Amino acid sequence: MEILNQPYVDPEFESLVERINDPRVCIDNDTCSHCTVVKVDSANRHGILLEMVQVLTDLDLVISKSYICSDGVWLMDVFHVRDQLGKKITDETLTLCIQQELCDTRRRGGIQKDLQTCLKRNHASMEHTALEITGRDRPGLMSDISAALYELECHIIPAVAWTHNGRMACLIQLEDGVEGGPITVPKRLAQVQEKLESVTEAHHENVDEKTVRLTGLATDRIHTERWLHQLMYTDRDYKSCRGCTGNCRHQNECNNTHVTVGTCREKGYSVVNVRSRDRNKLLFDTVCAFTDMQYVIFHAAVSLNDSMANHEYFIRRQDGCSLVSESESRKLTQCLITAIKRRVSLGSRVDISSENNMGLLWKVTRVFREKDLSISRMELGTHGEKASGCFYVTDASGNDADSGTVESVKQQIGGSVLAVHKSSWSSSTSEVEDRRCTFSLGNLLWSLLSI
């Protein structure tokens, strides 16, 4: 293990540097003909790269290229971004929002209400009770969870669930279905937790695992997708991860994910190269993986070649050490591949829109269960009196449901179904997420605001 001597930097000095040198954000539409260039110069601190990438992805911007340089107390990062239609960012309100959000939090303010809503849609609200569930996935699990909450008269506000490698992570925000507002009575919270632990068969898991946890009031500004990454990493869904790890003879012609780990001894960095099919939020997912494993990204280059994304990261552990252990490199490789695959959703996608009624999630998931369909991923959000969401469903074998079954589901759910899309993945392109048909609560929100 290579240990580098790190100079001591007083925390007060770090904050002084940031106070004296305000962050500078430049939005450039002239340099590049097909995208907007966002340049950020700022005092460096741990986690700031993830925050910047998170802001850009929350605004539904696609990052096609990026250059990261944050060695020392200062960073200079460049992002090439486009909207979901592949166009430059020309809306002045949106560019102002990008500038303000990428600057120091104490300088934020004056952002229009619609943009504030867009930025907050992926964050837990302090007005609700937060519920997190992790554990083994099985058919009908989400139906059982939502049925139990309906029976306990809990109103599900937003809910997000991911499944991967036989594991499941779910985040649900709750209101008291009778009195309204968050559930704060300890006895009631204990009742909800006990019921859900019974439903998820927590007593069959490792006794040291706590698969159901109610956190009282959700902490504001916690990002739900970031939270899901942390839950699934803690649940070790990366074990037995399968994927190309750089040993493929024709790596440049392979559409699978490749991760290689090397060293840069001159500078004391570990060099990580990631090659994957490009998709939305790919950079966000990989940076989350590095952050969860306590690695610091000092330099990075992200580029796109046709449909393939190439990422190169120069990293060290948070304690200043580089990677030299084979087992550590293997775990990092597994976790990066897993973080990329978590968001990939196989099956048919069903988009719904309905009145925001208690029991809506239970009614929808019950229909899927009755048709022997399993949910591989779901996202349900609310906007006042309306609720909307998307569900990716597969048959018992993990394949797309046949057209007859899907049509039957559509008729049984009723007029709340907006659209049903067949999976846009095949065995050779299972990691591609088609941007043209990707459901996004942000996209739906923008369409409602524009009416």
Side-chain angles (χ1 to χ4, degrees):
M1 177 180 297
E2 298 181 5
I3 301 178
L4 303 177
N5 293 324
Q6 298 292 325
Y8 172 75
V9 180
D10 191 292
E12 289 297 323
F13 175 74
E14 289 187 329
S15 62
L16 176 63
V17 172
E18 191 170 353
R19 291 195 300 270
I20 294 176
N21 301 281
D22 286 339
R24 296 187 297 272
V25 178
C26 174
I27 309 295
D28 180 6
N29 272 317
D30 298 326
T31 301
C32 187
S33 61
H34 59 277
C35 65
T36 299
V37 180
V38 180
K39 304 175 183 178
V40 184
D41 295 329
S42 172
N44 191 21
R45 58 179 171 80
H46 181 62
I48 190 172
L49 174 60
L50 178 57
E51 292 176 11
M52 289 191 292
V53 174
Q54 181 175 294
V55 167
L56 296 175
T57 55
D58 281 351
L59 290 170
D60 287 327
L61 302 178
V62 178
I63 303 174
S64 59
K65 187 182 294 185
S66 180
Y67 303 99
I68 309 299
C69 181
S70 57
D71 206 343
V73 297
W74 198 258
L75 65 84
M76 293 178 288
D77 297 346
V78 179
F79 303 94
H80 292 229
V81 300
R82 292 171 292 179
D83 63 18
Q84 291 288 323
L85 299 177
K87 298 180 180 179
K88 289 185 177 184
I89 312 304
T90 56
D91 184 273
E92 293 184 0
T93 304
L94 180 55
T95 56
L96 176 62
C97 178
I98 294 172
Q99 289 177 317
Q100 292 182 333
E101 282 293 310
L102 291 180
C103 288
D104 186 19
T105 54
R106 56 187 163 82
R107 299 177 60 222
R108 291 175 185 165
I111 299 176
Q112 289 188 1
K113 186 177 179 180
D114 54 352
L115 286 172
Q116 291 177 349
T117 305
C118 184
L119 285 166
K120 290 181 179 179
R121 75 178 186 274
N122 287 328
H123 289 82
S125 170
M126 295 184 69
E127 300 175 355
H128 307 137
T129 300
L131 166 67
E132 61 181 46
I133 302 174
T134 58
R136 292 176 299 177
D137 185 33
R138 59 174 174 79
L141 178 59
M142 187 52 61
S143 176
D144 289 340
I145 291 172
S146 55
L149 292 173
Y150 179 67
E151 181 182 335
L152 293 169
E153 297 183 303
C154 296
H155 184 195
I156 297 174
I157 309 300
V160 185
W162 288 356
T163 63
H164 178 258
N165 203 18
R167 311 300 294 179
M168 181 274 296
C170 178
L171 293 175
I172 299 175
Q173 296 182 56
L174 303 172
E175 278 187 347
D176 191 307
V178 178
E179 299 181 0
I183 303 172
T184 57
V185 178
K187 183 177 180 180
R188 181 120 160 82
L189 289 171
Q191 181 186 24
V192 173
Q193 182 158 340
E194 181 181 359
K195 179 70 173 179
L196 289 176
E197 285 178 345
S198 175
V199 167
T200 57
E201 300 179 339
H203 57 279
H204 289 164
E205 299 280 347
N206 188 319
V207 294
D208 295 328
E209 293 183 6
K210 197 172 185 65
T211 59
V212 179
R213 190 166 75 96
L214 285 104
T215 60
L217 293 178
T219 305
D220 194 22
R221 300 298 291 182
I222 289 184
H223 195 271
T224 53
E225 293 182 346
R226 175 80 185 94
W227 199 347
L228 284 169
H229 273 299
Q230 291 174 319
L231 287 177
M232 299 207 79
Y233 172 72
T234 303
D235 198 45
R236 300 182 180 181
D237 69 320
Y238 56 84
K239 285 194 170 183
S240 304
C241 176
R242 298 177 182 177
C244 294
T245 58
N247 297 322
C248 182
R249 293 180 59 185
H250 303 287
Q251 181 174 335
N252 292 333
E253 300 176 4
C254 180
N255 290 326
N256 291 326
T257 299
H258 293 259
V259 177
T260 58
V261 180
T263 58
C264 177
R265 296 188 180 278
E266 294 80 4
K267 298 293 184 180
Y269 296 122
S270 294
V271 184
V272 181
N273 286 280
V274 179
R275 186 175 186 273
S276 171
R277 297 286 298 192
D278 186 42
R279 61 163 174 78
N280 282 341
K281 302 187 179 181
L282 179 62
L283 179 59
F284 172 78
D285 293 338
T286 54
V287 174
C288 279
F290 283 116
T291 305
D292 287 339
M293 299 188 71
Q294 303 297 310
Y295 293 117
V296 179
I297 299 172
F298 290 87
H299 302 277
V302 175
S303 61
L304 184 64
N305 183 14
D306 293 330
S307 62
M308 300 300 295
N310 296 284
H311 296 197
E312 184 177 42
Y313 300 94
F314 292 79
I315 67 168
R316 294 185 191 133
R317 286 167 39 178
Q318 198 167 340
D319 58 8
C321 303
S322 59
L323 286 73
V324 293
S325 166
E326 181 65 28
S327 61
E328 188 178 5
S329 297
R330 184 167 56 252
K331 180 181 178 182
L332 175 59
T333 298
Q334 285 183 311
C335 290
L336 283 171
I337 294 174
T338 302
I340 292 171
K341 289 186 173 183
R342 281 182 193 136
R343 194 183 294 274
V344 175
S345 307
L346 301 179
S348 301
R349 193 180 85 254
V350 180
D351 297 345
I352 69 166
S353 179
S354 179
E355 297 295 325
N356 182 15
N357 298 322
M358 188 171 70
L360 173 63
L361 183 60
W362 168 60
K363 294 173 184 175
V364 174
T365 55
R366 183 186 61 184
V367 173
F368 291 142
R369 184 172 189 172
E370 290 173 351
K371 299 300 180 181
D372 293 324
L373 298 177
S374 297
I375 299 173
S376 62
R377 175 183 162 196
M378 57 157 268
E379 181 178 357
L380 179 67
T382 58
H383 316 286
E385 300 299 320
K386 295 291 184 180
S388 58
C390 70
F391 299 81
Y392 288 86
V393 294
T394 66
D395 61 16
S397 301
N399 301 317
D400 287 351
D402 63 72
S403 57
T405 302
V406 172
E407 184 61 31
S408 177
V409 167
K410 184 175 180 180
Q411 293 177 358
Q412 195 164 342
I413 294 178
S416 60
V417 175
L418 290 174
V420 178
H421 303 274
K422 298 297 286 183
S423 172
S424 57
W425 301 273
S426 64
S427 58
S428 61
T429 59
S430 61
E431 296 176 21
V432 182
E433 186 162 359
D434 189 350
R435 294 193 183 106
R436 293 171 299 175
C437 65
T438 298
F439 176 86
S440 169
L441 293 179
N443 293 340
L444 179 60
L445 176 61
W446 280 111
S447 64
L448 292 174
L449 291 171
S450 62
I451 296 177

